[in-house]
Amino acid sequence: MQRRQSSRTPKQPLDVRQKSQTDLSAWRKRGRTDSEKSLQNHQSANDQEHDSQEGSLEQALSYFEKVQDRVALKKSNVLQKHLDAVESTALKQGLPPEGFEILLSVVLSGKFADTVNTRLLKSLIPASVIPENSVVTAVSWLCVSKCSGNIQLLFLKWLITVFDFIDHKEQLHALYGFFFSFLQDEKMCPYICHLLYLLTRRENVKPFRIRRLLELQAKMGMQSHLQALLSLYKLFCPEQVTITLPAKMKTYFKNSEGPWKAAITAVRQRNQGTSPLSQAVFLGTSQPQSRKRKWNVQLVIPASSANTNNLEEDREKNCVYLYSTNESFPVEQLQTFPQLLQNIYRLEFPSQMGSVLTNPLLLHYMNCVKDESIYLRLYYWMGQMLQEECPWCVVDNPYEEEFKSFLEAVFKAECFLQEGFSACEEFLYKTLPLWDGVCCRSELLRLVSWIPLSSSSDIKSHLYDPLAQLFFTSSIYFKCSVLETLKELLQNWLNCNVIQVDSEFSSLNTTLSGLVNVVAELVHFVGWISTVALRLENNSTFLLHFILGFYETVCDMYLKYNLPLLVMPPAGVFYPALLSMDSVNLNQLCYIMYRYRANLVAAKENELSKKKILQFKFSNQTYQEYNQYIIAMVGCLWTSSAFQKDINPQGLCMDDKLLNKTAVKEVKTSFNIVYHPAMMGYSVEFLQQVCPDDTTFNFKLIKGKKWDWYLEYLYTQGLKGLKVFIESSISRVSQASRRKA
């Protein structure tokens, strides 16, 4: 291997007294110029301290590049001074790109003891990008094995952690075989697998590599890191990897972030307002992120930012060339939708899967090209991210706001793709029992609304039971948020699984049966918690509005979503809505019952005409429940006979003796459309318009023609639900409306 020539040929060995001095000065000036623009009240004392630190860093880099002989830390004050300078600068503002090649060469060449090398490696915190040449040079030092095994392991951990800060990766991809050869080392194997997982492309999958991985698995057993690499290989070449692998793993690789993650976060927060590098370096995000939080990437990834000038100057030429070549298309050059269409089958997906979440073009790619390797990478990365950053699962996690932004980005990506991520589903099932219902509430509930539809029996114990515990013990506002979330979950399930009732689908009854069962379980769960919640909250009209909003979706599942299922609301929801003091809720209930009627009538017609094609029929119990509710509603609102004719076991039927004891005058008409508590305001306003001289508000006057006028008046007040219910369920009004039409 051309160990140093390949990495240094494009740019000559760094002369710290001249070139490094100039580069570092330019880096300092860029930071200072932008700092003056963004922070006008920056203190001069801080400027002097900043200059002093950079001057010390330049001297330290010059010292480390020149040093030849092995120096003991305890016996050299100069070494201690320069080591302190590197550590101080790295932790406060990060190291510039020009410093990495020098420090990596020093660390891996074995010039110093492991104590010094460890401190230097832990100080390699990027302020911007990391030059690929410096990494290749460092890798070349592994060939001569001058550093200890512990330093090699620490270097690999660092390389995995900062992988997405490396400006280019073509030379690293060329070293794929070199990295693969290190798999035989048992200590390095997990980290080499992790690195290979990030680097693997389809062309890297070779039969001899598959055989080697299988040999290692036979020797070491079922190791998660080997399974991860084999899973990726199998996705690329399923015909070559014939063994059965677990479909999902909770954790493929151990956390290798070491001390760098927190340091990168701190540096990023400091540089955010004081340096122009914060946007170009930290992958285009405008919020403080830790290294793994690459979900907020606008895909201004380092390679793209490094080539910006060339791309702008040669855009037309490059476009023609890139569209005509058979080579892979670098994702950092993907700028427009036409580019995506012309290069969709040779697009090279980024190693940092988090960058996909906020890039619409890459999300379009995921929708169009069903590449399982992408989903596998995203599943691994997202699962790790959610597990390690969850504020209520990690003690003293200071990044709650950051985690909220991450969950928001995941939710937007799910909305774009119109499907939930399996990693989010597993995260929710695992952490909901530990959630307090407060931390990241809106963001977490949004993720719940995109839980993928499955027939898993675990959904009750992992989702419904934890939600119910929080639901019953939380405020009314939390209850309403949960109901809205479950409504969106139901809509997403129905939208993603619309059933076309046709003969060609007759063979799918098993799948359809599973869908019906899962949806029915959700609807029954919401009915149960709604009934209990209304009792706890004294039949709150605010809460009732959200409950009825859920049933607006349920009542139309057959006609709107072609799902052969209708579930009536429980009596504990229906009767509080029928007797509600709020006209909005009453109007909403009328509309829901109208849509139930339309769906049931359509279902009955389809049963008669397509009995052989669709094997699903609504049970007689559904029709009976609907008829009982209709009798109660018509008896209340129209015929004033609800107390006598309501046949529901939990209904309004009462004995006349009991009604007489209430001492209410005209008790039978207490809930018709004139006397109903929700309609009383409309009755008063109508009488004021019809009989302006009558100040007694005699509601008995609303009869005959005035009753019909009153109906027309109600319709003009926006009570469309009441209108369609009366016209569909009251025969006299229905016939009159048909004659008028």
Side-chain angles (χ1 to χ4, degrees):
M1 177 180 296
Q2 296 179 355
R3 192 179 65 212
R4 304 183 69 87
Q5 183 179 356
S6 62
S7 62
R8 294 200 180 199
T9 299
K11 54 184 213 179
Q12 295 301 319
L14 204 59
D15 186 346
V16 178
R17 290 171 296 180
Q18 297 178 7
K19 188 177 185 301
S20 180
Q21 180 90 16
T22 302
D23 290 343
L24 287 170
S25 299
W27 170 67
R28 181 171 67 250
K29 288 177 182 178
R30 289 197 304 271
R32 185 182 301 151
T33 301
D34 202 72
S35 174
E36 290 172 354
K37 294 179 181 179
S38 60
L39 298 175
Q40 297 180 356
N41 37 347
H42 190 43
Q43 300 295 329
S44 60
N46 293 337
D47 284 335
Q48 293 175 1
E49 181 182 357
H50 187 68
D51 294 342
S52 175
Q53 287 179 356
E54 291 178 356
S56 300
L57 177 63
E58 294 169 16
Q59 295 175 12
L61 292 178
S62 177
Y63 169 81
F64 283 118
E65 188 180 41
K66 290 178 180 179
V67 67
Q68 297 294 333
D69 301 327
R70 190 178 183 90
V71 181
L73 180 60
K74 294 181 179 180
K75 298 180 180 180
S76 176
N77 293 331
V78 177
L79 174 58
Q80 182 67 58
K81 170 188 173 184
H82 293 312
L83 188 57
D84 291 341
V86 171
E87 290 178 327
S88 176
T89 304
L91 292 176
K92 287 187 177 180
Q93 63 191 58
L95 297 178
E98 294 77 15
F100 284 92
E101 186 167 5
I102 297 172
L103 296 178
L104 284 171
S105 296
V106 169
V107 168
L108 297 174
S109 63
K111 293 180 180 180
F112 296 105
D114 280 4
T115 304
V116 177
N117 292 334
T118 300
R119 290 176 63 180
L120 285 175
L121 265 178
K122 291 181 177 180
S123 301
L124 295 181
I125 310 301
S128 61
V129 296
I130 299 174
E132 183 185 30
N133 285 339
S134 63
V135 177
V136 174
T137 300
V139 172
S140 69
W141 279 106
L142 297 179
C143 298
V144 295
S145 301
K146 288 195 173 183
C147 60
S148 67
N150 290 334
I151 295 300
Q152 291 179 1
L153 284 177
L154 193 61
F155 167 72
L156 288 175
K157 292 180 181 180
W158 172 83
L159 183 57
I160 293 168
T161 302
V162 301
F163 185 82
D164 296 327
F165 291 96
I166 301 173
D167 58 358
H168 299 83
K169 298 186 178 67
E170 286 307 313
Q171 295 183 51
L172 281 178
H173 281 293
L175 294 174
Y176 190 93
F178 173 76
F179 289 122
F180 194 90
S181 66
F182 280 91
L183 286 175
Q184 60 189 356
D185 189 310
E186 291 190 11
K187 291 185 178 180
M188 297 178 69
C189 185
Y191 305 105
I192 291 294
C193 284
H194 195 165
L195 184 59
L196 291 174
Y197 190 93
L198 297 174
L199 288 171
T200 298
R201 298 171 176 172
R202 190 177 299 274
E203 59 267 23
N204 298 127
V205 182
K206 305 292 184 183
F208 74 90
R209 288 180 178 146
I210 296 174
R211 287 195 298 270
R212 182 57 180 155
L213 288 175
L214 294 176
E215 290 172 2
L216 289 172
Q217 182 168 264
K219 177 183 176 182
M220 300 181 182
M222 296 289 286
Q223 300 295 324
S224 60
H225 49 274
L226 292 174
Q227 291 180 27
L229 203 51
L230 280 170
S231 298
L232 193 57
Y233 279 17
K234 188 168 185 176
L235 287 174
F236 283 130
C237 301
E239 72 284 354
Q240 297 186 29
V241 184
T242 57
I243 65 169
T244 302
L245 295 168
K248 295 179 181 179
M249 291 283 292
K250 290 185 177 180
T251 304
Y252 276 139
F253 306 111
K254 295 180 180 179
N255 189 339
S256 59
E257 293 171 340
W260 301 285
K261 175 182 173 181
I264 289 175
T265 302
V267 168
R268 186 174 197 173
Q269 290 173 341
R270 293 191 191 97
N271 290 346
Q272 196 68 33
T274 60
S275 171
L277 299 170
S278 58
Q279 291 185 351
V281 177
F282 295 104
L283 311 182
T285 180
S286 59
Q287 298 180 0
Q289 316 291 338
S290 63
R291 181 205 65 82
K292 285 185 67 176
R293 297 175 176 84
K294 293 176 286 295
W295 39 268
N296 205 13
V297 189
Q298 302 299 327
L299 223 79
V300 185
I301 63 177
S304 178
S305 60
N307 287 333
T308 300
N309 293 333
N310 292 335
L311 287 174
E312 292 297 332
E313 293 172 3
D314 302 323
R315 182 176 295 275
E316 295 182 2
K317 179 177 70 175
N318 284 348
C319 286
V320 174
Y321 171 74
L322 289 170
Y323 293 157
S324 61
T325 183
N326 290 325
E327 297 178 358
S328 62
F329 185 82
V331 72
E332 63 268 14
Q333 296 180 8
L334 183 64
Q335 303 293 331
T336 64
F337 193 73
Q339 277 184 318
L340 173 65
L341 294 179
Q342 297 188 42
N343 298 279
I344 193 166
Y345 290 112
R346 55 193 187 87
L347 191 66
E348 179 187 338
F349 228 67
S351 298
Q352 60 271 38
M353 293 307 299
S355 62
V356 177
L357 293 182
T358 53
N359 189 288
L361 293 177
L362 294 185
L363 292 174
H364 274 303
Y365 177 86
M366 290 181 64
N367 259 338
C368 297
V369 181
K370 297 300 182 182
D371 188 343
E372 291 298 327
S373 65
I374 296 174
Y375 286 92
L376 180 64
R377 289 178 184 268
L378 194 61
Y379 166 79
Y380 154 68
W381 172 82
M382 191 178 294
Q384 289 281 98
M385 177 68 186
L386 290 167
Q387 179 181 343
E388 295 173 5
E389 303 300 329
C390 177
W392 57 92
C393 295
V394 180
V395 179
D396 297 329
N397 190 331
Y399 304 115
E400 180 178 336
E401 292 301 320
E402 212 172 329
F403 191 67
K404 284 183 180 180
S405 300
F406 169 60
L407 296 182
E408 182 69 20
V410 172
F411 169 73
K412 290 180 179 178
E414 290 181 327
C415 291
F416 189 98
L417 296 172
Q418 288 295 292
E419 63 177 320
F421 296 118
S422 57
C424 288
E425 178 186 14
E426 293 181 7
F427 164 73
L428 290 170
Y429 288 169
K430 183 177 180 180
T431 61
L432 274 178
L434 308 174
W435 185 44
D436 60 1
V438 177
C439 183
C440 307
R441 174 190 293 179
S442 60
E443 292 79 15
L444 192 77
L445 289 178
R446 287 177 180 178
L447 291 188
V448 170
S449 69
W450 277 108
I451 288 179
L453 174 64
S454 66
S455 57
S456 172
S457 59
D458 296 335
I459 193 168
K460 180 181 185 299
S461 59
H462 289 134
L463 176 63
Y464 297 156
D465 291 349
L467 270 184
Q469 291 180 6
L470 288 169
F471 184 85
F472 295 139
T473 57
S474 298
S475 68
I476 186 174
Y477 302 104
F478 180 83
K479 292 182 176 69
C480 294
S481 298
V482 170
L483 289 168
E484 185 69 15
T485 295
L486 295 177
K487 182 186 80 171
E488 293 171 358
L489 175 63
L490 175 62
Q491 289 174 341
N492 290 334
W493 282 358
L494 295 172
N495 285 328
C496 294
N497 297 275
V498 173
I499 306 299
Q500 298 295 333
V501 184
D502 204 344
S503 58
E504 61 181 301
F505 289 93
S506 60
S507 61
L508 300 181
N509 283 332
T510 301
T511 303
L512 184 58
S513 176
L515 172 62
V516 168
N517 291 337
V518 172
V519 172
E521 185 179 8
L522 172 60
V523 176
H524 287 305
F525 170 72
V526 173
W528 169 61
I529 63 173
S530 299
T531 300
V532 177
L534 285 172
R535 294 174 183 172
L536 293 174
E537 302 295 342
N538 296 321
N539 294 327
S540 165
T541 56
F542 182 66
L543 177 64
L544 186 59
H545 173 73
F546 284 89
I547 296 173
L548 294 177
F550 178 84
Y551 280 97
E552 279 190 11
T553 300
V554 175
C555 69
D556 243 349
M557 289 192 298
Y558 182 73
L559 284 180
K560 190 173 181 180
Y561 300 100
N562 291 325
L563 184 71
L565 175 68
L566 279 181
V567 180
M568 300 301 298
V573 170
F574 173 80
Y575 285 102
L578 178 60
L579 305 179
S580 173
M581 302 285 287
D582 183 75
S583 61
V584 174
N585 288 336
L586 181 61
N587 181 67
Q588 203 172 3
L589 177 66
C590 290
Y591 176 79
I592 290 171
M593 296 305 295
Y594 161 72
R595 293 308 303 167
Y596 270 120
R597 173 187 171 83
N599 280 257
L600 288 170
V601 169
K604 179 62 70 174
E605 292 175 352
N606 283 340
E607 286 178 14
L608 297 176
S609 62
K610 298 183 178 181
K611 187 178 298 184
K612 294 183 180 180
I613 295 177
L614 189 62
Q615 301 299 320
F616 288 88
K617 298 180 181 179
F618 295 142
S619 66
N620 291 331
Q621 182 182 355
T622 304
Y623 291 101
Q624 291 173 2
E625 289 179 357
Y626 171 78
N627 289 332
Q628 290 174 358
Y629 286 163
I630 283 296
I631 291 173
M633 286 190 70
V634 173
C636 270
L637 301 177
W638 194 261
T639 63
S640 302
S641 59
F643 296 114
Q644 290 77 32
K645 294 187 177 181
D646 189 351
I647 59 176
N648 191 293
Q650 303 178 51
L652 302 175
C653 186
M654 296 184 189
D655 185 77
D656 289 338
K657 294 181 180 180
L658 181 61
L659 289 174
N660 292 332
K661 291 181 180 180
T662 62
V664 176
K665 296 181 180 180
E666 305 295 338
V667 64
K668 294 182 179 181
T669 61
S670 297
F671 291 101
N672 66 21
I673 58 174
V674 175
Y675 292 91
H676 196 292
M679 310 299 293
M680 191 74 74
Y682 295 107
S683 302
V684 171
E685 290 184 0
F686 175 76
L687 285 176
Q688 287 178 337
Q689 294 181 19
V690 176
C691 306
D693 298 331
D694 185 5
T695 59
T696 60
F697 297 114
N698 185 4
F699 296 117
K700 292 182 180 180
L701 296 176
I702 304 179
K703 60 182 179 179
K705 287 187 177 181
K706 289 183 180 179
W707 180 277
D708 296 334
W709 295 349
Y710 178 60
L711 276 182
E712 295 296 331
Y713 170 77
L714 292 178
Y715 298 162
T716 62
Q717 299 303 304
L719 300 176
K720 303 300 182 184
L722 180 68
K723 179 178 185 294
V724 294
F725 171 76
I726 290 178
E727 290 181 350
S728 63
S729 301
I730 309 299
S731 58
R732 180 176 71 82
V733 179
S734 178
Q735 294 171 3
S737 62
R738 283 198 296 268
R739 286 196 300 269
K740 186 181 296 184

